[in-house]
Amino acid sequence: MESAWRKAKRALALRLCVHVPAVADDDDGGASERRPGSSSSFAGGCRSEAAVSVAGSAREELAAGALRRSKSGSRSSSKRKCAICFDSMRSGHGQALFTAECSHKFHFHCIASNVKHGNHVCPVCRAKWKEIPLNRSLSLNVPRGRVGINQAQLPQQDAYVALLHQVPSRQRGARRLHTSEPTDFNDDEPLQQAEAFDNLNFRSTKTAEISTYPEFSSIPQSSSQDGFSVLIHLKAPSASSDQATGSLVNESSVRPPNRRAPVDLVTVIDVSGSMAGTKLALLKRAMGFVVQHLGPSDRLSVIAFSSAARRLFHLQRMTHHGRQQALQAINSLGAGGGTNIADGLKKATKVIEDRSYKNSVCSIILLSDGQDTYSVSANVRGGSADYGSLVPPSILNDARRMLPIHAFGFGADHDSDSLHSIAEASGGTFSFIEDEGVMQDAFAQCIGGLLSVVVQEMRLNMECVHPGVQLCSIKSGSYPSKVTRDGRSCSVDIGHLYADEERDILLSLNIPQCREETSLLKVACSYKDLVTNETIKLEGDEVKINRTTSTISEAVSIEVDRERNRIQAAESIESARSAAERGALSEAVTILEDCRRRLSESFASQSGDRLSMALDAELREMQERMASRQLYEASGRAYMLSGLSSHSWQRATTRGDSTDSSTVVHSYQTPSMVEMLQHSQSYVPLPQGQRPQVRPARSSGR
């Protein structure tokens, strides 16, 4: 029997020791008893400066250094959190910890997975390691009273798998990942069983709201008006009081199933070679945030793509075991290979189309930091490429846009044209993540919206009342609109809305001379309420204007003028982008400058309207990003496209290095998005001043 001192000296000489924690049998209420003389060590000598220990030992080293952000600020991770998966590294939880030569600390299974895929540098400081955790075979001599490992049953080259077998029994009971993909993806997990309850107790009395604003409340009797503007403003019902999207979910706090529409979500993530290191670490962290905030009625599947795409796990409910399995699969990812976006989207669409069961809301989230090297030429820019080949035909041909793809371009090398085209074709949004440190915030904002969908299949209908009134045009952004041949009625398909989300539609009318009050329009809308599962039909107030004998003009409606400014800014951004793609950067800057001048002269801007001031700040930022061709290629194009996406759908997107600032981003955020963003920013505490603070959601005045 060796003395404790001799065993300690041997461990110090080897400089690599593994301690496997005791795990009691299911019927044993206490921890297993240690036996004298028991030890566990690697066979052979080791000169590595790295040390491996299992959480549960007497002391836990604090990781030195912090995960660094890009030039916009430094992001410090907690010293007690793994810098790869950002989960806690606490003692007594049976997880191996790895302290590298550079002093950064990780879960052993996280860093082993990275090394297994050929990454031999520190994900935090990029230092190249001389000693690699998986370069040697692990020969464990397990004493009595500890968990036994049958090495004949474990792959000798995969220490990650070996360590997973040492995890406490509650994790060993989790289902294994699919080792191969089936031909059909109809293996999705059944939906959560709806509980029986009295609908009258839970039925929401909230409905969407319709407001109308004529350009002027009155016009002279003797004059006719061509191009008279009328603004139609829609606001979705508010979220239920217990519909908290920004809190961690656990099965003990399951809400009644109809308080929020459950979601089927497929995330398509780029794991090509360019994602190695910090990018992949932050992606895993962001995906972990998503997993932790989905509820037991929500279902998730993850597609990882590089040169080809693979489904990590089937569409399954995010119960406790479902989240465990999802996090395990995500944390095991490594980077390598090319970029095949088309194959990733094809597989994601197949997951949705082959479902045996269907939640009422479904969506795809796509993230990539590169250009598709298989379906689209990397040298084609400016929208001349056929990016439709990247989008599955079933999505392109779906006029209702029931499966939106929310695309996220990461870094300076992604193909913003293709990602914007994919999002636009599917009814989704395109976000530009310039600063790798805000990836989680970008996902949080998107998830905050998806988990608060309250309206589907909304259609807005307008009909002229006075026989002399005629519709000229509709400004509805990317929402499909239709005007009848006689110009007497029109419709706009809005589709789905998040809780408290707002939409503005600007109509242009021709109004005849009249000596009495003129009724212009009747406005109505219909939609499916996802809380009650009922079809709701609403009628707004008739739009009327007075006819006066006076020719003195009155002030224009600030609501109408504000919307005109927004539309004018969006059109100028599109014109400037077209000029920039032709190489005429000076012309593009001039277009934006002219728009800024017109905005400053508008009634809304001179009245101190917040949105108009934010539009000016947005246009100024775009001008700065077109100072040179190199800067435009690196960030200007993506910044403009994310802005266009946001304006065309009137929905919040991430732009540049922030999801919230004094820019127009704030104008489209909903309370659910803000709540989720706030939770994301408190998920890993950061020093004050290193991260933009989330502001309250917009008021009716934006």
Side-chain angles (χ1 to χ4, degrees):
M1 181 185 302
E2 293 180 312
S3 68
W5 174 244
R6 182 173 298 177
K7 287 188 291 183
K9 287 196 296 182
R10 178 175 297 171
L12 288 172
L14 293 176
R15 306 198 69 168
L16 184 66
C17 63
V18 171
H19 172 79
V20 184
V23 177
D25 295 331
D26 293 340
D27 57 350
D28 187 357
S32 298
E33 221 175 291
R34 296 190 180 182
R35 300 186 180 245
S38 64
S39 65
S40 174
S41 63
F42 288 97
C46 173
R47 297 187 300 108
S48 172
E49 294 294 325
V52 178
S53 63
V54 171
S57 59
R59 298 182 62 184
E60 178 184 37
E61 296 184 21
L62 296 178
L67 190 62
R68 288 176 169 81
R69 293 177 66 189
S70 64
K71 61 182 179 180
S72 62
S74 64
R75 176 181 293 267
S76 299
S77 62
S78 171
K79 291 186 177 182
R80 294 186 180 274
K81 291 183 180 292
C82 172
I84 292 181
C85 69
F86 285 85
D87 277 345
S88 174
M89 296 189 294
R90 294 179 293 170
S91 59
H93 285 253
Q95 291 183 324
L97 306 180
F98 176 79
T99 303
E101 303 161 53
C102 54
S103 78
H104 291 117
K105 180 177 283 190
F106 315 91
H107 287 123
F108 185 76
H109 63 81
C110 291
I111 202 62
S113 177
N114 268 19
V115 171
K116 181 177 66 176
H117 291 277
N119 300 322
H120 297 167
V121 295
C122 176
V124 177
C125 67
R126 312 298 295 162
K128 188 171 182 179
W129 291 335
K130 298 177 183 177
E131 299 292 341
I132 304 302
L134 295 183
N135 273 358
R136 58 187 59 80
S137 172
L138 304 184
S139 177
L140 299 179
N141 180 18
V142 181
R144 292 184 181 182
R146 302 185 187 273
V147 179
I149 301 177
N150 186 349
Q151 296 189 40
Q153 298 175 359
L154 298 179
Q156 293 299 315
Q157 73 278 11
D158 196 347
Y160 174 90
V161 177
L163 282 169
L164 284 181
H165 281 258
Q166 301 173 30
V167 173
S169 58
R170 62 182 178 86
Q171 293 208 18
R172 292 201 309 270
R175 290 172 292 177
R176 294 172 178 266
L177 302 178
H178 293 294
T179 55
S180 61
E181 291 181 352
T183 304
D184 296 317
F185 291 162
N186 57 0
D187 54 351
D188 53 308
E189 185 174 0
L191 306 180
Q192 184 179 27
Q193 187 67 33
E195 299 175 6
F197 54 87
D198 184 2
N199 274 332
L200 295 177
N201 294 334
F202 291 98
R203 182 167 298 177
S204 173
T205 58
K206 301 174 183 176
T207 59
E209 300 173 6
I210 304 176
S211 304
T212 56
Y213 303 92
E215 182 178 359
F216 300 102
S217 61
S218 62
I219 60 174
Q221 296 176 355
S222 58
S223 66
S224 60
Q225 292 271 343
D226 291 340
F228 184 88
S229 297
V230 176
L231 176 68
I232 312 297
H233 179 79
L234 299 172
K235 185 175 181 180
S238 299
S240 302
S241 58
D242 61 348
Q243 185 180 323
T245 60
S247 56
L248 289 170
V249 179
N250 57 72
E251 291 176 282
S252 63
S253 61
V254 177
R255 304 181 186 98
N258 76 333
R259 303 301 277 175
R260 170 176 74 76
V263 177
D264 282 345
L265 177 65
V266 182
T267 58
V268 184
I269 53 179
D270 188 342
V271 292
S272 59
S274 58
M275 287 291 294
T278 305
K279 285 184 180 180
L280 186 60
L282 289 170
L283 174 60
K284 291 178 180 181
R285 175 181 178 270
M287 282 299 303
F289 180 88
V290 172
V291 168
Q292 295 290 355
H293 287 79
L294 294 176
S297 57
D298 301 313
R299 300 191 300 175
L300 175 70
S301 180
V302 176
I303 308 294
F305 70 91
S306 52
S307 301
R310 68 186 188 278
R311 187 186 69 163
L312 299 188
F313 53 87
H314 65 288
L315 191 64
Q316 64 181 24
R317 289 172 49 216
M318 288 295 98
T319 60
H320 175 71
H321 290 299
R323 289 196 297 271
Q324 273 191 329
Q325 183 176 354
L327 292 172
Q328 176 184 328
I330 292 165
N331 286 337
S332 68
L333 287 172
T339 304
N340 195 338
I341 296 174
D343 196 36
L345 289 179
K346 179 181 177 182
K347 199 149 289 188
T349 305
K350 184 174 176 60
V351 169
I352 295 295
E353 291 177 344
D354 289 359
R355 292 176 295 172
S356 299
Y357 311 92
K358 295 181 180 180
N359 272 325
S360 53
V361 178
C362 64
S363 186
I364 293 174
I365 289 179
L366 166 67
L367 180 137
S368 177
D369 76 330
Q371 303 177 30
D372 190 292
T373 53
Y374 292 84
S375 304
V376 178
S377 171
N379 296 321
V380 181
R381 280 292 194 176
S384 58
D386 179 19
Y387 293 119
S389 60
L390 297 175
V391 186
S394 59
I395 293 180
L396 284 175
N397 299 329
D398 182 12
R400 298 184 304 162
R401 293 185 171 98
M402 295 300 291
L403 182 55
I405 301 172
H406 297 286
F408 294 82
F410 188 23
D413 297 325
H414 75 276
D415 188 347
S416 55
D417 280 319
S418 66
L419 294 179
H420 176 262
S421 298
I422 290 168
E424 189 71 17
S426 65
T429 56
F430 166 65
S431 291
F432 168 40
I433 305 175
E434 182 177 25
D435 178 3
E436 58 192 19
V438 299
M439 187 189 299
Q440 179 176 295
D441 286 353
F443 277 24
Q445 179 172 267
C446 182
I447 290 297
L450 293 176
L451 297 183
S452 66
V453 176
V454 292
V455 165
Q456 278 184 340
E457 302 173 20
M458 174 177 273
R459 168 169 280 198
L460 183 64
N461 294 292
M462 286 75 67
E463 183 180 353
C464 296
V465 178
H466 189 282
V469 175
Q470 196 169 33
L471 283 159
C472 299
S473 64
I474 306 175
K475 297 289 186 180
S476 58
S478 292
Y479 294 103
S481 62
K482 187 185 213 179
V483 180
T484 57
R485 285 188 178 182
D486 59 5
R488 295 286 295 165
S489 62
C490 64
S491 64
V492 181
D493 290 325
I494 303 296
H496 69 277
L497 290 178
Y498 304 151
D500 297 291
E501 204 165 30
E502 301 175 43
R503 294 291 179 269
D504 289 319
I505 309 297
L506 192 65
L507 306 181
S508 182
L509 310 175
N510 290 337
I511 302 175
Q513 297 179 1
C514 188
R515 294 186 175 276
E516 55 189 18
E517 183 183 60
T518 308
S519 293
L520 304 181
L521 288 172
K522 284 182 182 176
V523 182
C525 79
S526 61
Y527 63 89
K528 180 182 178 182
D529 188 320
L530 291 186
V531 175
T532 63
N533 205 30
E534 296 176 345
T535 298
I536 306 295
K537 295 183 178 180
L538 297 175
E539 290 190 7
D541 295 332
E542 219 171 75
V543 183
K544 300 177 181 180
I545 56 172
N546 295 320
R547 308 307 290 262
T548 65
T549 56
S550 172
T551 58
I552 300 175
S553 60
E554 63 179 60
V556 67
S557 163
I558 193 170
E559 290 84 5
V560 171
D561 202 47
R562 176 194 298 130
E563 179 62 10
R564 279 177 176 165
N565 286 348
R566 191 189 67 82
I567 293 171
Q568 187 177 112
E571 291 174 348
S572 295
I573 293 170
E574 179 59 47
S575 298
R577 191 184 77 89
S578 298
E581 295 299 336
R582 297 194 309 268
L585 287 178
S586 58
E587 178 186 343
V589 171
T590 301
I591 291 172
L592 297 181
E593 187 62 33
D594 289 343
C595 182
R596 291 180 62 194
R597 177 184 51 79
R598 291 193 298 270
L599 291 182
S600 68
E601 296 171 354
S602 69
F603 174 71
S605 292
Q606 294 179 358
S607 301
D609 178 61
R610 272 199 321 168
L611 177 63
S612 299
M613 291 187 291
L615 289 169
D616 180 76
E618 178 186 33
L619 296 176
R620 184 176 65 250
E621 175 73 16
M622 291 178 180
Q623 287 178 302
E624 293 173 358
R625 290 175 183 265
M626 290 192 290
S628 67
R629 189 69 194 176
Q630 182 180 7
L631 185 57
Y632 176 74
E633 294 281 351
S635 68
R637 176 188 288 115
Y639 190 90
M640 296 181 82
L641 286 172
S642 63
L644 285 172
S645 178
S646 185
H647 287 306
S648 66
W649 296 110
Q650 298 183 50
R651 181 161 283 166
T653 62
T654 301
R655 307 190 200 174
D657 61 358
S658 178
T659 52
D660 183 87
S661 65
S662 60
T663 67
V664 76
V665 174
H666 166 71
S667 300
Y668 297 124
Q669 285 178 340
T670 67
S672 298
M673 291 178 175
V674 171
E675 184 181 6
M676 191 67 83
L677 271 169
Q678 289 172 336
H679 196 69
S680 172
Q681 295 186 357
S682 62
Y683 199 61
V684 177
L686 293 175
Q688 189 174 3
Q690 291 189 3
R691 199 169 189 169
Q693 295 300 309
V694 177
R695 297 185 178 189
R698 72 175 181 179
S699 62
S700 58
R702 291 187 180 177

